[in-house]
């Protein structure tokens, strides 16, 4: 029981632990068979079945060795009883051979079992990861009220225990059943009949030791079930409480700067204490349940050592059996009761295992529900040129809704041509960022149609750029590989974006999202833009952390190096409109936000749109190098 308590790392939950993940109405075993069946019918089915067969064969060999040990037990004690020196040493030599056979089969059985556990977990993790990431589902699940909480921890932790414990429990159950079959015959033959007299009636009970073992196991299993039944729900609650505490710790780590600046440590400490207080309360319930069960299992195990000798002793004292046979009966009785008591011995682990399987299956159910949702009430995304061959971004009767169905944007119709520069403005909450998400295809809720250019020609830049773990070179090149661009191209892009001080750190591995300021991160995103040169660029407040001079420097890229790219921007900063040909405005109305258009004259490419440009920081050092490298012209303002 201690092992099941400590080895089951807590899986995760979401912000609201009281939200229940969708669980199908089918029984637990059927859900588990559905989970396991995917592996045994997958592309790795031959490996799965081969390893399973290896586990079965090696388990049979182990049982064969155990049966031979039982016979050796009889012959060894008979040799002791008869004081036969030669037979005694002969049995000792045999013991060495049996011990070596037991060791070899045990080691190989462990290896095959471990490989089965590892391969199954790897397949399951890869499958869940693929389903999680597919079609930006990892993002969409954040908006589904009944989605399984914390899929990341379900994938990393719950899969581990759901698969590893399943193999261990299955092997243990199979071993118990085979041991039962093997030793019941031995026990039946050795125990002989029991003469019973009830008044004037006498009768015999054949193989009475088998019936004694069965009765002993049934009593123990029944009492274990009654005492341990609450442990199933307690383990589920424990997993949730542990995950809530872990989630709270992660939140503090990820938001440490904000907490430190506002001096919120005391409040965070109170929150963490509350979260761990729930862990303590659940663990106390679990510990009480385990103590109650320990009273039973301790007594049960102690009695099992003397019970078979006590029951078989009358025949021994009557001279019907020898000491060796008595010890063989005791060993066989132990193996039979051990097999019958598999449920008693493993009840805590079964309860723990079930909680992990339920969480993994709930995640699978969430993915299934998300896939069904994707076929209903979905915005139609059409990729590619129009029938007349034009490359455009177009909205046709577009209605964008929230995940709950509330209308956000009402019947938008607009068209943006290749190379156009369009600014989208509107009050906070009018759905500007949601519109971008719909264009990107990650916001499916709504109706109507969005025609988009080829996806490989599009690049989105949010307010906080994503910087992957690894080197600075990998962060600049993302989503391409770190070696996709030459050193000269990366250096020129950084210098053109006003980040020459980072050139010497390209191959350093750091948490760049923490080391760089938000302004530096936004300029790094523009360096990424210069490397990839997409034909369509979407900026969502992508210059919000920059001062006006640096904003002008970054936006001037679309008049110079990226003059041929279409630009669709969301922004509130003054001065942004002069870098765009026209403005689309989202206006609130009673039935949802509506989209209106306004065109403005475009600045000539060579003119300075503002005197403030003269105050721009010295970021032009790499501009000439960039133009020579990428072959792009553009007038210097």
């Amino acid at each position: 029981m201690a092992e099941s308590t400590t080895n089951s790392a807590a899986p995760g939950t979401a912000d609201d632990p009281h939200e229940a993940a969708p669980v199908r109405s089918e029984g637990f075993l059927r859900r588990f068979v559905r989970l396991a069946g995917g592996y045994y019918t997958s592309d790795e089915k031959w490996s799965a079945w081969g390893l399973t067969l290896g586990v079965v064969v090696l388990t049979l060999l182990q049982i064969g060795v155990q049966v031979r040990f039982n016979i050796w037990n009889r012959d060894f004690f008979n040799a002791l009883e008869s004081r036969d020196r030669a037979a005694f040493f002969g049995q000792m030599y045999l013991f060495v051979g049996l011990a070596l056979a037991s060791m070899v089969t045990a080691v190989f059985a462990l290896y095959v079992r471990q490989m089965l556990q590892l391969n199954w977990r790897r397949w399951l993790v890869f499958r869940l990861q693929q389903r999680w990431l597919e079609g930006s589902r990892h993002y969409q699940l954040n908006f589904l009220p009944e989605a399984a909480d914390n899929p990341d921890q379900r994938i990393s932790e719950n899969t581990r225990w759901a698969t590893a414990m399943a193999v261990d429990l299955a092997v243990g159950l199979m071993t118990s059943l085979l041991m039962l079959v093997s030793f019941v015959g031995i026990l039946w033959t050795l125990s002989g009949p029991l003469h019973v007299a009830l008044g004037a009636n006498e009768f015999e009970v054949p193989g009475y030791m088998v019936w004694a073992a069965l009765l002993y196991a049934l009593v123990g299993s029944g009492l274990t079930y009654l005492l341990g039944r609450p442990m199933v729900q307690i383990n589920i609650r424990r997993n949730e409480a542990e995950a809530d505490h872990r989630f709270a710790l992660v939140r503090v780590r990820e938001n440490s700067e904000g907490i430190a600046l506002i001096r919120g440590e005391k409040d965070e400490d109170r929150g963490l204490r509350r979260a761990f207080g729930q862990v303590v309360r659940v663990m106390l319930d679990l510990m009480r349940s385990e103590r109650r069960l320990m009273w039973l299992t301790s007594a049960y195990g102690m009695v099992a050592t003397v019970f078979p000798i006590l029951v078989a002793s009358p025949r021994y004292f009557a001279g019907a059996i020898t000491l060796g046979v008595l010890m063989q009966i005791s060993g066989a009785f132990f193996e039979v009761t051990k097999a019958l008591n598999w449920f008693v011995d493993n009840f805590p682990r079964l309860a723990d295992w079930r909680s992990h399987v339920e969480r993994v299956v709930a995640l699978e159910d969430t993915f299934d529900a998300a896939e069904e949702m994707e076929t209903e009430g979905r915005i139609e995304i059409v990729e590619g040129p129009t029938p007349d061959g034009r490359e455009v971004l177009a909205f046709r009767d577009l209605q964008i809704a929230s995940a709950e169905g509330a209308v956000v944007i009402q019947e938008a119709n607009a068209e943006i041509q290749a190379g156009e520069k369009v600014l989208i403005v509107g009050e906070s909450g009018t759905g500007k960022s949601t519109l971008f998400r719909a264009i990107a295809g990650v916001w499916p809720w709504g109706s109507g149609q969005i025609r988009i250019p080829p996806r490989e020609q599009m690049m989105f830049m949010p307010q906080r750029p994503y910087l992957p773990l690894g080197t600075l070179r990998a962060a600049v090149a993302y989503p391409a590989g770190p070696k996709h661009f030459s050193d000269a191209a990366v250096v020129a892009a950084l210098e053109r974006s006003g980040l020459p001080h980072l050139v010497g750190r390209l191959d350093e591995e750091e948490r760049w999202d923490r080391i760089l300021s938000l302004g530096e991160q936004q300029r790094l995103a523009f360096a990424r833009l210069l490397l990839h040169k997409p034909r369509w660029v979407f900026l969502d407040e992508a210059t919000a952390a920059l001062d006006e001079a640096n904003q002008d420097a970054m936006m001037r890229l679309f008049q110079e190096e990226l003059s041929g790219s279409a630009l669709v921007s969301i922004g509130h900063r003054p001065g942004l409109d002069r870098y765009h040909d026209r403005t689309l405005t989202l206006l609130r109305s009673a039935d949802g936000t509506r989209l209106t258009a306004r065109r403005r004259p475009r600045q000539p490419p060579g003119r300075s749109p503002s005197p403030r440009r003269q105050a721009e920081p010295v970021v032009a050092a790499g501009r000439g190098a960039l133009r020579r490298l990428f072959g792009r012209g553009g007038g210097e303002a």
Side-chain angles (χ1 to χ4, degrees), residues 183-301:
F183 282 97
V184 157
I186 296 174
L187 190 60
W188 184 280
T189 302
L190 295 177
S191 63
L194 176 67
H195 298 279
V196 179
L198 293 177
N201 299 318
E202 294 186 3
F203 58 92
E204 291 185 345
V205 180
Y208 74 99
M209 291 295 294
V210 174
W211 301 111
L214 181 60
L215 179 63
Y216 188 79
L218 285 175
V219 171
S221 297
L223 291 174
T224 299
Y225 177 75
L226 291 175
L227 291 176
R229 182 171 53 179
M231 293 180 68
V232 175
Q233 288 303 318
I234 293 175
N235 269 293
I236 293 175
R237 287 166 45 213
R238 190 227 25 213
N239 281 336
E240 292 177 351
E242 294 273 14
D244 287 341
H245 181 240
R246 177 178 173 181
F247 181 79
L249 291 170
V250 171
R251 288 275 296 172
V252 171
R253 177 168 59 85
E254 292 296 330
N255 296 278
S256 58
E257 181 181 7
I259 294 169
L261 291 175
I262 205 170
R263 295 292 188 266
E265 287 82 2
K266 288 186 178 180
D267 186 70
E268 293 300 324
D269 183 60
R270 286 192 293 270
L272 291 175
R273 286 175 179 270
R274 282 195 301 270
F276 193 72
Q278 182 62 26
V279 175
V280 171
R281 286 189 289 274
V282 177
M283 287 302 299
L284 288 173
D285 289 343
L286 183 62
M287 290 160 62
R288 279 192 292 270
S289 183
E290 287 181 339
R291 286 197 300 271
R292 286 195 295 267
L293 200 58
M294 182 59 72
W295 282 104
L296 173 64
T297 55
S298 296
Y300 191 84

Side-chain angles (χ1 to χ4, degrees), residues 20 64 130 134 159 177 226 278 313 323 388 433 447 472 546 584:
Q130 187 270 331
E134 184 179 21
T159 55
L177 291 174
L226 291 175
Q278 182 62 26
S313 61
L323 177 62
D388 57 1
S433 295
S447 61
L472 181 64
L546 302 179
L584 296 178

Side-chain angles (χ1 to χ4, degrees), residues 43-107:
D43 294 339
E44 299 185 25
K45 60 185 176 182
W46 297 116
S47 171
W49 285 109
L51 289 171
T52 303
L53 180 62
V55 169
V56 172
V57 170
L58 288 166
T59 301
L60 288 172
L61 289 175
Q62 285 182 296
I63 292 172
V65 173
Q66 291 299 316
V67 171
R68 188 64 187 86
F69 259 122
N70 182 263
I71 298 172
W72 174 89
N73 205 39
R74 178 199 63 193
D75 296 339
F76 177 75
F77 281 99
N78 281 338
L80 282 177
E81 186 180 34
S82 62
R83 293 178 172 81
D84 188 338
R85 184 183 182 88
F88 172 80
F89 283 106
Q91 291 302 315
M92 293 303 297
Y93 292 138
L94 179 59
F95 173 82
V96 173
L98 290 174
L100 287 174
S102 178
M103 291 165 57
V104 171
T105 54
V107 170

Side-chain angles (χ1 to χ4, degrees), residues 315-359:
R315 298 194 68 217
Y316 173 74
F317 290 122
I321 57 175
T322 64
L323 177 62
V325 173
L326 177 65
M327 299 308 295
Q328 188 180 12
I329 289 174
S330 177
F333 183 92
F334 173 79
E335 295 296 345
V336 170
T337 54
K338 180 180 176 182
L340 292 171
N341 290 335
W342 181 86
F343 179 76
V344 175
D345 297 335
N346 290 277
F347 190 87
R349 296 190 71 209
L350 282 167
D352 195 19
W353 169 68
R354 176 170 177 172
S355 69
H356 293 292
V357 172
E358 291 282 11
R359 289 179 65 80

